[in-house]
Amino acid sequence: MKKRFLLFLLVPMFGLAQNRLSISIEGVKTSNGKISVAIYANENGFLEFEGVFKFDSTKAQKGTTELSIESLPPGKYAVAIFHDENGNDVLDRNWLGIPKEKIGFSNAKMKTFGPPSFTECAFELRSDKEITVIL
């Protein structure tokens, strides 16, 4: 019994605290559809559906849309966002594969020939944090 009690006391000291990531998405052109946010915890599977650590969405608000992701353990993360204007839950692309809907990333922008890497987008989360992403 004494060992279980000590373990219970030590758990918070080993980084199991959960954090909130508050995201301000700027440059939202219309209030149509929703803003979809994907959180990635490592470069394996970055920008792939299978690689998403957490996902959320909210109704788009013209100008700036706010969204919070709760219960993130401390670590390194990268955020990818898109404005799903038609609400079909898909990032619509043209025949070349170029996104037709606005997208944004934490700490990086779309490059001429493709998206940024996980490393370019990554940031450390050690406590509650606020970031801004521009579409």
Side-chain angles (χ1 to χ4, degrees), residues 21-71:
L21 178 62
S22 299
I23 307 168
S24 179
I25 302 102
E26 297 182 354
V28 180
K29 299 290 186 211
T30 72
S31 293
N32 298 337
K34 60 186 173 181
I35 301 294
S36 295
V37 177
I39 309 290
Y40 296 88
N42 61 61
E43 61 187 301
N44 295 331
F46 181 57
L47 300 181
E48 295 176 15
F49 181 75
E50 296 80 21
V52 174
F53 179 71
K54 279 208 173 207
F55 174 84
D56 202 357
S57 64
T58 190
K59 173 138 180 43
Q61 299 294 321
K62 184 177 180 179
T64 302
T65 301
E66 304 285 336
L67 182 95
S68 288
I69 305 291
E70 305 286 337
S71 303

Side-chain angles (χ1 to χ4, degrees), residues 2-3 6 16 22 30 33 38-40 46 48 50 59 63 90-91 109 111-112 125 131-132:
K2 187 175 182 181
K3 288 181 183 178
L6 287 174
L16 297 179
S22 299
T30 72
I39 309 290
Y40 296 88
F46 181 57
E48 295 176 15
E50 296 80 21
K59 173 138 180 43
V90 175
L91 175 60
K109 294 182 179 181
K111 299 180 198 175
T112 304
L125 183 70
I131 64 170
T132 299

Side-chain angles (χ1 to χ4, degrees), residues 79-90:
V79 175
I81 296 174
F82 80 97
H83 183 182
D84 185 13
E85 285 190 75
N86 58 11
N88 67 352
D89 294 324
V90 175

